[in-house]
Short mmCIF file of all heavy atoms in Angstrom, two decimals:
data_model
loop_
_atom_site.label_atom_id
_atom_site.label_comp_id
_atom_site.label_asym_id
_atom_site.label_seq_id
_atom_site.Cartn_x
_atom_site.Cartn_y
_atom_site.Cartn_z
N ASP A 25 0.83 -1.21 0.00
CA ASP A 25 0.00 0.00 0.00
C ASP A 25 0.86 1.25 0.00
O ASP A 25 0.72 2.12 -0.87
CB ASP A 25 -0.93 -0.02 1.21
CG ASP A 25 -1.85 1.20 1.23
OD1 ASP A 25 -2.41 1.53 0.17
OD2 ASP A 25 -1.99 1.82 2.30
N PHE A 26 1.81 1.34 0.96
CA PHE A 26 2.58 2.59 1.01
C PHE A 26 3.69 2.61 -0.05
O PHE A 26 4.16 3.68 -0.43
CB PHE A 26 3.09 2.91 2.42
CG PHE A 26 4.24 2.10 2.94
CD1 PHE A 26 5.52 2.24 2.43
CD2 PHE A 26 4.06 1.22 4.00
CE1 PHE A 26 6.58 1.52 2.94
CE2 PHE A 26 5.11 0.49 4.52
CZ PHE A 26 6.38 0.64 3.98
N ALA A 27 4.10 1.46 -0.55
CA ALA A 27 5.08 1.45 -1.65
C ALA A 27 4.49 2.11 -2.89
O ALA A 27 5.14 2.93 -3.55
CB ALA A 27 5.51 0.02 -1.97
N GLY A 28 3.22 1.78 -3.18
CA GLY A 28 2.55 2.41 -4.32
C GLY A 28 2.24 3.87 -4.07
O GLY A 28 2.38 4.71 -4.95
N LYS A 29 1.84 4.15 -2.84
CA LYS A 29 1.44 5.51 -2.49
C LYS A 29 2.60 6.50 -2.61
O LYS A 29 2.43 7.64 -3.06
CB LYS A 29 0.90 5.53 -1.05
CG LYS A 29 0.27 6.84 -0.63
CD LYS A 29 -0.10 6.83 0.85
CE LYS A 29 -1.07 5.74 1.20
NZ LYS A 29 -1.46 5.78 2.65
N TYR A 30 3.80 6.05 -2.22
CA TYR A 30 4.96 6.96 -2.20
C TYR A 30 5.99 6.63 -3.27
O TYR A 30 7.12 7.14 -3.23
CB TYR A 30 5.61 6.94 -0.82
CG TYR A 30 4.64 7.21 0.30
CD1 TYR A 30 4.45 6.28 1.33
CD2 TYR A 30 3.89 8.38 0.34
CE1 TYR A 30 3.55 6.51 2.36
CE2 TYR A 30 2.98 8.62 1.36
CZ TYR A 30 2.81 7.68 2.36
OH TYR A 30 1.92 7.91 3.38
N SER A 31 5.64 5.74 -4.21
CA SER A 31 6.54 5.37 -5.33
C SER A 31 7.88 4.85 -4.81
O SER A 31 8.96 5.32 -5.21
CB SER A 31 6.76 6.56 -6.26
OG SER A 31 5.53 6.99 -6.81
N LEU A 32 7.82 3.87 -3.90
CA LEU A 32 9.02 3.31 -3.30
C LEU A 32 9.33 1.93 -3.88
O LEU A 32 8.43 1.19 -4.27
CB LEU A 32 8.83 3.15 -1.79
CG LEU A 32 8.56 4.40 -0.97
CD1 LEU A 32 8.20 4.01 0.45
CD2 LEU A 32 9.76 5.32 -0.98
N LYS A 33 10.59 1.61 -3.91
CA LYS A 33 11.02 0.24 -4.23
C LYS A 33 11.18 -0.52 -2.91
O LYS A 33 11.94 -0.10 -2.04
CB LYS A 33 12.35 0.26 -4.98
CG LYS A 33 12.99 -1.12 -5.14
CD LYS A 33 14.43 -1.00 -5.59
CE LYS A 33 15.12 -2.36 -5.55
NZ LYS A 33 16.57 -2.26 -5.85
N ILE A 34 10.44 -1.63 -2.77
CA ILE A 34 10.58 -2.47 -1.58
C ILE A 34 10.96 -3.88 -2.03
O ILE A 34 10.29 -4.48 -2.86
CB ILE A 34 9.28 -2.53 -0.75
CG1 ILE A 34 8.91 -1.14 -0.24
CG2 ILE A 34 9.45 -3.49 0.42
CD1 ILE A 34 7.71 -1.12 0.69
N GLU A 35 12.04 -4.38 -1.47
CA GLU A 35 12.47 -5.75 -1.76
C GLU A 35 12.39 -6.58 -0.48
O GLU A 35 12.79 -6.11 0.60
CB GLU A 35 13.90 -5.78 -2.31
CG GLU A 35 14.35 -7.19 -2.69
CD GLU A 35 15.62 -7.20 -3.51
OE1 GLU A 35 15.92 -6.19 -4.19
OE2 GLU A 35 16.33 -8.23 -3.49
N PHE A 36 11.88 -7.79 -0.60
CA PHE A 36 11.78 -8.71 0.53
C PHE A 36 12.81 -9.82 0.35
O PHE A 36 12.85 -10.46 -0.70
CB PHE A 36 10.38 -9.31 0.61
CG PHE A 36 9.28 -8.30 0.81
CD1 PHE A 36 8.65 -7.71 -0.28
CD2 PHE A 36 8.91 -7.91 2.09
CE1 PHE A 36 7.66 -6.76 -0.10
CE2 PHE A 36 7.91 -6.96 2.29
CZ PHE A 36 7.29 -6.39 1.18
N ARG A 37 13.62 -10.03 1.38
CA ARG A 37 14.64 -11.07 1.31
C ARG A 37 14.85 -11.64 2.72
O ARG A 37 15.35 -10.93 3.61
CB ARG A 37 15.96 -10.48 0.79
CG ARG A 37 17.08 -11.48 0.57
CD ARG A 37 16.84 -12.34 -0.66
NE ARG A 37 17.99 -13.20 -0.89
CZ ARG A 37 18.99 -12.92 -1.74
NH1 ARG A 37 18.94 -11.78 -2.45
NH2 ARG A 37 20.00 -13.74 -1.90
N PRO A 38 14.46 -12.89 2.96
CA PRO A 38 14.68 -13.47 4.30
C PRO A 38 16.17 -13.53 4.62
O PRO A 38 16.96 -14.07 3.83
CB PRO A 38 14.08 -14.88 4.18
CG PRO A 38 13.18 -14.83 2.99
CD PRO A 38 13.79 -13.83 2.05
N PHE A 39 16.55 -13.00 5.77
CA PHE A 39 17.95 -13.00 6.17
C PHE A 39 18.30 -14.25 6.99
O PHE A 39 19.48 -14.49 7.24
CB PHE A 39 18.26 -11.74 6.99
CG PHE A 39 18.78 -10.60 6.15
CD1 PHE A 39 18.24 -10.32 4.91
CD2 PHE A 39 19.81 -9.79 6.62
CE1 PHE A 39 18.70 -9.27 4.14
CE2 PHE A 39 20.30 -8.74 5.86
CZ PHE A 39 19.74 -8.47 4.62
N ILE A 40 17.30 -14.98 7.45
CA ILE A 40 17.56 -16.19 8.22
C ILE A 40 16.69 -17.33 7.69
O ILE A 40 15.69 -17.10 7.03
CB ILE A 40 17.28 -16.00 9.73
CG1 ILE A 40 15.82 -15.57 9.95
CG2 ILE A 40 18.25 -14.99 10.33
CD1 ILE A 40 15.42 -15.47 11.41
N GLU A 41 17.12 -18.56 7.96
CA GLU A 41 16.33 -19.72 7.59
C GLU A 41 16.40 -20.75 8.71
O GLU A 41 17.31 -20.71 9.55
CB GLU A 41 16.79 -20.32 6.27
CG GLU A 41 18.24 -20.76 6.25
CD GLU A 41 18.66 -21.26 4.87
OE1 GLU A 41 18.42 -20.56 3.87
OE2 GLU A 41 19.23 -22.36 4.81
N ILE A 42 15.41 -21.61 8.73
CA ILE A 42 15.31 -22.63 9.77
C ILE A 42 15.76 -23.98 9.21
O ILE A 42 15.31 -24.39 8.14
CB ILE A 42 13.87 -22.74 10.29
CG1 ILE A 42 13.38 -21.40 10.86
CG2 ILE A 42 13.76 -23.85 11.34
CD1 ILE A 42 14.17 -20.89 12.03
N GLN A 43 16.65 -24.64 9.92
CA GLN A 43 17.10 -25.98 9.55
C GLN A 43 16.85 -26.93 10.70
O GLN A 43 17.18 -26.64 11.85
CB GLN A 43 18.59 -25.98 9.20
CG GLN A 43 18.93 -25.18 7.95
CD GLN A 43 20.42 -25.21 7.64
OE1 GLN A 43 21.23 -25.71 8.42
NE2 GLN A 43 20.79 -24.67 6.49
N GLY A 44 16.24 -28.06 10.40
CA GLY A 44 15.96 -29.04 11.44
C GLY A 44 17.21 -29.74 11.92
O GLY A 44 18.12 -30.04 11.13
N VAL A 45 17.29 -29.98 13.22
CA VAL A 45 18.38 -30.78 13.79
C VAL A 45 18.13 -32.24 13.42
O VAL A 45 17.00 -32.73 13.50
CB VAL A 45 18.42 -30.61 15.33
CG1 VAL A 45 19.35 -31.63 15.97
CG2 VAL A 45 18.84 -29.19 15.69
N SER A 46 19.15 -32.94 12.98
CA SER A 46 18.98 -34.35 12.61
C SER A 46 18.63 -35.18 13.84
O SER A 46 18.97 -34.81 14.97
CB SER A 46 20.25 -34.90 11.96
OG SER A 46 21.29 -35.01 12.92
N TYR A 47 17.97 -36.29 13.60
CA TYR A 47 17.63 -37.18 14.71
C TYR A 47 18.89 -37.68 15.41
O TYR A 47 18.92 -37.80 16.65
CB TYR A 47 16.79 -38.35 14.21
CG TYR A 47 16.42 -39.34 15.28
CD1 TYR A 47 15.76 -38.92 16.44
CD2 TYR A 47 16.73 -40.69 15.16
CE1 TYR A 47 15.42 -39.83 17.44
CE2 TYR A 47 16.40 -41.60 16.15
CZ TYR A 47 15.74 -41.16 17.29
OH TYR A 47 15.41 -42.06 18.28
N LYS A 48 19.93 -37.91 14.63
CA LYS A 48 21.21 -38.35 15.21
C LYS A 48 21.75 -37.32 16.19
O LYS A 48 22.18 -37.66 17.31
CB LYS A 48 22.22 -38.61 14.09
CG LYS A 48 23.59 -39.06 14.58
CD LYS A 48 24.54 -39.26 13.40
CE LYS A 48 25.93 -39.66 13.88
NZ LYS A 48 26.87 -39.83 12.74
N ASP A 49 21.71 -36.04 15.79
CA ASP A 49 22.21 -34.98 16.68
C ASP A 49 21.27 -34.76 17.86
O ASP A 49 21.71 -34.43 18.97
CB ASP A 49 22.39 -33.68 15.91
CG ASP A 49 23.61 -33.72 14.99
OD1 ASP A 49 24.50 -34.55 15.24
OD2 ASP A 49 23.66 -32.93 14.03
N PHE A 50 19.96 -34.94 17.62
CA PHE A 50 19.02 -34.80 18.73
C PHE A 50 19.32 -35.87 19.80
O PHE A 50 19.27 -35.57 21.01
CB PHE A 50 17.58 -34.95 18.24
CG PHE A 50 16.59 -35.09 19.36
CD1 PHE A 50 16.25 -34.00 20.16
CD2 PHE A 50 16.01 -36.32 19.65
CE1 PHE A 50 15.36 -34.14 21.22
CE2 PHE A 50 15.12 -36.46 20.69
CZ PHE A 50 14.79 -35.37 21.48
N ARG A 51 19.61 -37.06 19.40
CA ARG A 51 19.87 -38.15 20.35
C ARG A 51 21.08 -37.84 21.24
O ARG A 51 21.14 -38.28 22.39
CB ARG A 51 20.10 -39.46 19.61
CG ARG A 51 18.84 -40.04 18.98
CD ARG A 51 19.11 -41.36 18.32
NE ARG A 51 19.58 -42.36 19.28
CZ ARG A 51 20.01 -43.57 18.93
NH1 ARG A 51 20.07 -43.91 17.65
NH2 ARG A 51 20.40 -44.43 19.85
#
């Protein structure tokens, strides 16, 4: 909404990601 209203460039980029711990490491 405000990107269009004010003629802004907005980029979305996740800076973190989730990785599951292996069952071996959990044990």
Side-chain angles (χ1 to χ4, degrees):
D25 182 46
F26 75 70
K29 188 187 301 182
Y30 307 122
S31 300
L32 299 172
K33 170 193 172 186
I34 298 185
E35 183 167 335
F36 299 90
R37 184 74 175 263
F39 267 41
I40 58 175
E41 59 184 50
I42 301 298
Q43 294 180 353
V45 169
S46 69
Y47 178 55
K48 179 181 178 181
D49 287 339
F50 169 72
R51 289 182 62 186

